[in-house]
């Protein structure tokens, strides 16, 4: 499947989902520190082994925090 073969496609699909999650966090979590930790956690997930290290942590965090 395209998802497993194409790293850029996989990133686009996962980034869309994780951006939605980060927006939800920003809109619902009022404590800035909790929001930071939650976005940090999902950035670690997105940049991790499970997705084939398709993006660095710093890039993932920046995209999710600014998205």
């Amino acid at each position: 499947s395209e998802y497993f073969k194409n790293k850029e496609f996989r990133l686009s699909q996962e980034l869309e989902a994780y951006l939605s999650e980060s927006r939800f966090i920003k809109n619902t979590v009022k404590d800035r520190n909790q929001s930071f930790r939650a976005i940090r956690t999902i950035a670690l997930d997105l940049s991790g082994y499970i997705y084939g290290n398709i993006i660095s942590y710093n890039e993932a965090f920046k995209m999710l925090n600014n998205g």
Side-chain angles (χ1 to χ4, degrees):
S1 118
E2 179 92 16
Y3 183 89
F4 295 108
K5 292 181 201 172
N6 186 329
K7 181 174 154 177
E8 289 79 22
F9 178 76
R10 187 167 58 250
L11 176 58
S12 73
Q13 299 300 295
E14 294 303 334
L15 187 56
E16 184 179 332
Y18 278 87
L19 280 169
S20 179
E21 188 173 350
S22 74
R23 281 188 220 104
F24 176 80
I25 291 166
K26 289 178 194 176
N27 291 329
T28 59
V29 178
K30 299 305 176 198
D31 182 288
R32 206 172 73 170
N33 291 324
Q34 280 184 317
S35 179
F36 172 84
R37 285 192 300 271
I39 292 172
R40 179 181 177 275
T41 297
I42 64 173
L44 285 168
D45 290 344
L46 180 60
S47 64
Y49 173 77
I50 193 166
Y51 296 115
N53 304 101
I54 55 177
I55 189 172
S56 73
Y57 164 77
N58 288 333
E59 288 176 293
F61 183 81
K62 189 185 317 179
M63 293 174 122
L64 295 173
N65 200 40
N66 296 330

